[in-house]
Short mmCIF file of all heavy atoms in Angstrom, two decimals:
data_model
loop_
_atom_site.label_atom_id
_atom_site.label_comp_id
_atom_site.label_asym_id
_atom_site.label_seq_id
_atom_site.Cartn_x
_atom_site.Cartn_y
_atom_site.Cartn_z
N THR Z 260 1.83 -1.96 -4.53
CA THR Z 260 2.69 -1.61 -5.68
C THR Z 260 3.19 -2.86 -6.42
O THR Z 260 3.73 -2.75 -7.52
CB THR Z 260 3.90 -0.76 -5.23
OG1 THR Z 260 4.65 -1.55 -4.27
CG2 THR Z 260 3.47 0.54 -4.58
N TRP Z 262 1.19 -5.11 -7.45
CA TRP Z 262 0.07 -5.62 -8.26
C TRP Z 262 0.42 -5.61 -9.75
O TRP Z 262 0.96 -4.63 -10.28
CB TRP Z 262 -1.18 -4.74 -8.04
CG TRP Z 262 -2.35 -5.25 -8.83
CD1 TRP Z 262 -3.24 -6.19 -8.44
CD2 TRP Z 262 -2.73 -4.86 -10.16
NE1 TRP Z 262 -4.15 -6.42 -9.45
CE2 TRP Z 262 -3.87 -5.62 -10.51
CE3 TRP Z 262 -2.22 -3.95 -11.10
CZ2 TRP Z 262 -4.51 -5.49 -11.76
CZ3 TRP Z 262 -2.84 -3.83 -12.33
CH2 TRP Z 262 -3.98 -4.59 -12.65
N ARG Z 263 0.13 -6.71 -10.43
CA ARG Z 263 0.30 -6.83 -11.89
C ARG Z 263 -0.84 -7.68 -12.43
O ARG Z 263 -1.29 -8.62 -11.78
CB ARG Z 263 1.60 -7.56 -12.27
CG ARG Z 263 2.90 -6.93 -11.81
CD ARG Z 263 3.32 -5.73 -12.67
NE ARG Z 263 4.60 -5.21 -12.23
CZ ARG Z 263 4.79 -4.45 -11.15
NH1 ARG Z 263 3.78 -4.12 -10.40
NH2 ARG Z 263 6.00 -4.01 -10.83
N ASN Z 268 0.11 -2.53 -14.65
CA ASN Z 268 0.60 -2.36 -13.29
C ASN Z 268 -0.30 -1.37 -12.56
O ASN Z 268 -1.31 -0.91 -13.12
CB ASN Z 268 2.08 -1.93 -13.27
CG ASN Z 268 2.26 -0.56 -13.91
OD1 ASN Z 268 1.43 0.33 -13.75
ND2 ASN Z 268 3.35 -0.38 -14.64
N ILE Z 269 0.06 -1.02 -11.35
CA ILE Z 269 -0.85 -0.21 -10.51
C ILE Z 269 -1.18 1.16 -11.12
O ILE Z 269 -2.26 1.70 -10.90
CB ILE Z 269 -0.32 -0.09 -9.06
CG1 ILE Z 269 -1.43 0.46 -8.15
CG2 ILE Z 269 0.94 0.74 -9.00
CD1 ILE Z 269 -1.20 0.29 -6.69
N ASN Z 270 -0.28 1.70 -11.94
CA ASN Z 270 -0.59 2.99 -12.58
C ASN Z 270 -1.82 2.88 -13.48
O ASN Z 270 -2.58 3.84 -13.64
CB ASN Z 270 0.60 3.51 -13.37
CG ASN Z 270 1.63 4.12 -12.43
OD1 ASN Z 270 1.28 4.63 -11.36
ND2 ASN Z 270 2.90 4.07 -12.81
N ASP Z 271 -2.02 1.70 -14.08
CA ASP Z 271 -3.23 1.50 -14.89
C ASP Z 271 -4.48 1.57 -14.01
O ASP Z 271 -5.55 1.97 -14.48
CB ASP Z 271 -3.17 0.15 -15.62
CG ASP Z 271 -2.03 0.15 -16.64
OD1 ASP Z 271 -2.11 0.90 -17.61
OD2 ASP Z 271 -1.04 -0.59 -16.41
N PHE Z 273 -4.77 3.51 -11.27
CA PHE Z 273 -5.03 4.93 -10.95
C PHE Z 273 -5.74 5.59 -12.13
O PHE Z 273 -6.70 6.35 -11.94
CB PHE Z 273 -3.72 5.68 -10.65
CG PHE Z 273 -2.94 5.11 -9.48
CD1 PHE Z 273 -1.58 4.87 -9.57
CD2 PHE Z 273 -3.57 4.81 -8.29
CE1 PHE Z 273 -0.86 4.33 -8.52
CE2 PHE Z 273 -2.88 4.27 -7.22
CZ PHE Z 273 -1.51 4.03 -7.34
N ASN Z 274 -5.26 5.29 -13.34
CA ASN Z 274 -5.90 5.85 -14.53
C ASN Z 274 -7.36 5.40 -14.63
O ASN Z 274 -8.26 6.19 -14.91
CB ASN Z 274 -5.16 5.43 -15.81
CG ASN Z 274 -3.80 6.09 -15.90
OD1 ASN Z 274 -3.58 7.13 -15.27
ND2 ASN Z 274 -2.89 5.49 -16.63
N ARG Z 277 -9.61 7.25 -12.27
CA ARG Z 277 -9.93 8.60 -12.74
C ARG Z 277 -10.96 8.55 -13.87
O ARG Z 277 -11.91 9.32 -13.88
CB ARG Z 277 -8.67 9.32 -13.22
CG ARG Z 277 -7.87 9.83 -12.05
CD ARG Z 277 -6.64 10.62 -12.46
NE ARG Z 277 -5.65 10.43 -11.41
CZ ARG Z 277 -4.54 9.70 -11.51
NH1 ARG Z 277 -4.23 9.11 -12.65
NH2 ARG Z 277 -3.73 9.58 -10.49
N VAL Z 286 -2.55 5.53 -2.45
CA VAL Z 286 -2.01 4.20 -2.24
C VAL Z 286 -1.16 4.21 -0.97
O VAL Z 286 -0.53 5.23 -0.65
CB VAL Z 286 -1.20 3.71 -3.48
CG1 VAL Z 286 0.05 4.53 -3.70
CG2 VAL Z 286 -0.87 2.23 -3.38
N THR Z 288 2.01 2.29 0.80
CA THR Z 288 3.10 1.38 0.44
C THR Z 288 4.09 1.25 1.61
O THR Z 288 4.20 2.16 2.43
CB THR Z 288 3.86 1.88 -0.81
OG1 THR Z 288 5.00 1.05 -1.04
CG2 THR Z 288 4.33 3.33 -0.70
N ASN Z 292 10.42 -0.57 -2.39
CA ASN Z 292 10.87 -0.40 -3.78
C ASN Z 292 10.72 1.06 -4.14
O ASN Z 292 9.84 1.75 -3.61
CB ASN Z 292 10.01 -1.25 -4.72
CG ASN Z 292 10.27 -2.74 -4.51
OD1 ASN Z 292 11.39 -3.14 -4.23
ND2 ASN Z 292 9.23 -3.53 -4.62
N PRO Z 293 11.55 1.57 -5.07
CA PRO Z 293 11.40 2.98 -5.48
C PRO Z 293 9.98 3.22 -5.96
O PRO Z 293 9.39 2.36 -6.62
CB PRO Z 293 12.40 3.12 -6.63
CG PRO Z 293 13.37 2.01 -6.43
CD PRO Z 293 12.63 0.89 -5.78
N PHE Z 294 9.41 4.39 -5.60
CA PHE Z 294 8.01 4.61 -5.99
C PHE Z 294 7.82 5.95 -6.70
O PHE Z 294 6.70 6.46 -6.75
CB PHE Z 294 7.08 4.49 -4.77
CG PHE Z 294 7.54 5.25 -3.56
CD1 PHE Z 294 7.29 6.60 -3.43
CD2 PHE Z 294 8.24 4.59 -2.56
CE1 PHE Z 294 7.71 7.29 -2.32
CE2 PHE Z 294 8.69 5.28 -1.44
CZ PHE Z 294 8.41 6.64 -1.33
N SER Z 295 8.92 6.51 -7.24
CA SER Z 295 8.77 7.82 -7.90
C SER Z 295 7.92 7.73 -9.17
O SER Z 295 7.44 8.74 -9.66
CB SER Z 295 10.11 8.47 -8.20
OG SER Z 295 11.08 7.50 -8.38
N ASN Z 296 7.72 6.52 -9.69
CA ASN Z 296 6.90 6.37 -10.91
C ASN Z 296 5.40 6.25 -10.60
O ASN Z 296 4.59 6.19 -11.52
CB ASN Z 296 7.36 5.15 -11.71
CG ASN Z 296 7.15 3.87 -10.91
OD1 ASN Z 296 7.08 3.90 -9.68
ND2 ASN Z 296 7.03 2.74 -11.59
N LEU Z 297 5.03 6.22 -9.32
CA LEU Z 297 3.61 6.00 -8.99
C LEU Z 297 2.77 7.22 -9.33
O LEU Z 297 3.11 8.34 -8.96
CB LEU Z 297 3.45 5.69 -7.50
CG LEU Z 297 3.87 4.31 -7.01
CD1 LEU Z 297 3.50 4.13 -5.55
CD2 LEU Z 297 3.24 3.21 -7.85
N LYS Z 298 1.65 6.99 -10.01
CA LYS Z 298 0.82 8.11 -10.47
C LYS Z 298 -0.41 8.34 -9.59
O LYS Z 298 -1.39 8.92 -10.05
CB LYS Z 298 0.40 7.86 -11.92
CG LYS Z 298 1.60 7.76 -12.86
CD LYS Z 298 1.24 8.10 -14.29
CE LYS Z 298 2.49 8.28 -15.13
NZ LYS Z 298 3.07 7.00 -15.58
N ALA Z 299 -0.35 7.90 -8.35
CA ALA Z 299 -1.46 8.17 -7.42
C ALA Z 299 -1.44 9.66 -7.08
O ALA Z 299 -0.39 10.30 -7.13
CB ALA Z 299 -1.27 7.36 -6.15
N ASP Z 300 -2.61 10.21 -6.70
CA ASP Z 300 -2.64 11.62 -6.30
C ASP Z 300 -1.96 11.82 -4.96
O ASP Z 300 -1.37 12.86 -4.71
CB ASP Z 300 -4.09 12.11 -6.24
CG ASP Z 300 -4.73 12.05 -7.62
OD1 ASP Z 300 -4.31 12.83 -8.47
OD2 ASP Z 300 -5.59 11.18 -7.84
N ILE Z 302 0.46 9.56 -1.96
CA ILE Z 302 1.13 8.31 -1.57
C ILE Z 302 1.36 8.36 -0.06
O ILE Z 302 1.83 9.37 0.47
CB ILE Z 302 2.51 8.19 -2.28
CG1 ILE Z 302 2.32 8.19 -3.80
CG2 ILE Z 302 3.26 6.94 -1.82
CD1 ILE Z 302 3.64 8.18 -4.59
N ASN Z 328 14.21 5.72 -0.60
CA ASN Z 328 13.15 5.87 -1.62
C ASN Z 328 12.33 7.15 -1.44
O ASN Z 328 11.91 7.76 -2.41
CB ASN Z 328 12.26 4.62 -1.64
CG ASN Z 328 13.01 3.42 -2.19
OD1 ASN Z 328 13.87 3.58 -3.06
ND2 ASN Z 328 12.72 2.23 -1.68
N SER Z 331 14.38 10.01 -2.83
CA SER Z 331 14.51 10.12 -4.29
C SER Z 331 13.15 10.31 -4.96
O SER Z 331 13.08 10.48 -6.17
CB SER Z 331 15.22 8.88 -4.86
OG SER Z 331 14.42 7.75 -4.60
N ALA Z 332 12.09 10.29 -4.18
CA ALA Z 332 10.76 10.44 -4.78
C ALA Z 332 10.48 11.92 -5.00
O ALA Z 332 10.87 12.75 -4.20
CB ALA Z 332 9.71 9.84 -3.86
N LYS Z 333 9.84 12.22 -6.09
CA LYS Z 333 9.53 13.62 -6.36
C LYS Z 333 8.02 13.78 -6.44
O LYS Z 333 7.48 14.26 -7.42
CB LYS Z 333 10.17 14.05 -7.71
CG LYS Z 333 11.67 14.05 -7.71
CD LYS Z 333 12.23 15.35 -7.11
CE LYS Z 333 13.72 15.28 -6.91
NZ LYS Z 333 14.14 14.58 -5.67
N HIS Z 334 7.32 13.31 -5.43
CA HIS Z 334 5.87 13.39 -5.47
C HIS Z 334 5.40 14.55 -4.59
O HIS Z 334 5.85 14.66 -3.44
CB HIS Z 334 5.26 12.06 -5.00
CG HIS Z 334 3.82 11.91 -5.37
ND1 HIS Z 334 2.82 12.60 -4.73
CD2 HIS Z 334 3.21 11.19 -6.35
CE1 HIS Z 334 1.65 12.28 -5.28
NE2 HIS Z 334 1.87 11.43 -6.27
N LEU Z 337 3.36 13.29 -0.79
CA LEU Z 337 3.87 12.07 -0.18
C LEU Z 337 3.84 12.26 1.34
O LEU Z 337 4.41 13.23 1.85
CB LEU Z 337 5.31 11.87 -0.66
CG LEU Z 337 5.96 10.60 -0.18
CD1 LEU Z 337 6.65 9.97 -1.35
CD2 LEU Z 337 6.96 10.82 0.90
#
Side-chain angles (χ1 to χ4, degrees):
T260 60
W262 181 87
R263 299 282 183 283
N268 64 37
I269 193 164
N270 282 331
D271 295 293
F273 301 132
N274 291 337
R277 282 183 209 108
V286 66
T288 174
N292 291 325
F294 48 82
S295 29
N296 63 338
L297 285 186
K298 299 204 168 81
D300 296 292
I302 300 176
N328 290 327
S331 63
K333 294 277 172 278
H334 196 286
L337 184 134

